[in-house]
Amino acid sequence: QVQLVESGGGLVQAGGSLRLSCAASGRTFSSRPRGWFRQAPGKEREFVAAINWSGGDTLYADSVKGRFTISRDNSKNTVYLQMNYLKPEDTAVYYCAAKGPSYGSSLSDGTYDYWGQGTQVTVSS
């Protein structure tokens, strides 16, 4: 009943920017935290960023801090990831995630009930 759909991925040169969007449908649990993860070829999935229900609290991986910004528009059930100063090492499939009834509100525990299908981000040098 909960569906997350990412969009906005693509190919960009190093130093460029992309804005990812993740729209939720069905029973969205709109007041719960949302997050972004990524998985590069040959590597494990890693945490990128998270945001609480109001947007007032955010958390970023050290590797993206200062370059990426997570935000949300609860009226649209949508979370965004603005990615600036992109580097080749940012190349990965980016996944949107949403907490539902199963997990607490912590932004740092990495636990989410719902996941999107992923969108490819490729950064060329």
Side-chain angles (χ1 to χ4, degrees):
Q1 290 186 310
V2 177
Q3 183 177 345
L4 305 176
V5 179
E6 302 98 331
S7 62
L11 175 65
V12 65
Q13 290 186 333
S17 298
L18 285 173
R19 189 193 192 205
L20 306 183
S21 299
C22 177
S25 61
R27 184 167 185 177
T28 59
F29 298 98
S30 298
S31 64
R32 306 301 332 277
R34 304 280 291 275
W36 288 95
F37 293 76
R38 67 186 182 185
Q39 187 168 19
K43 295 185 177 181
E44 297 294 323
R45 185 189 67 185
E46 66 175 348
F47 169 78
V48 175
I51 188 168
N52 79 326
W53 70 272
S54 69
D57 290 323
T58 57
L59 181 68
Y60 297 93
D62 289 341
S63 59
V64 306
K65 194 174 298 182
R67 299 188 297 120
F68 291 9
T69 302
I70 188 171
S71 61
R72 67 189 297 169
D73 184 343
N74 289 335
S75 68
K76 298 180 179 180
N77 292 320
T78 299
V79 65
Y80 306 94
L81 185 68
Q82 178 67 46
M83 305 185 295
N84 298 325
Y85 305 102
L86 283 162
K87 304 174 181 179
E89 50 264 44
D90 294 319
T91 295
V93 177
Y94 283 71
Y95 297 92
C96 174
K99 290 185 182 288
S102 298
Y103 301 105
S105 298
S106 174
L107 301 183
S108 61
D109 65 8
T111 57
Y112 290 84
D113 291 281
Y114 308 107
W115 296 85
Q117 81 287 355
T119 185
Q120 177 70 48
V121 172
T122 302
V123 184
S124 63
S125 60

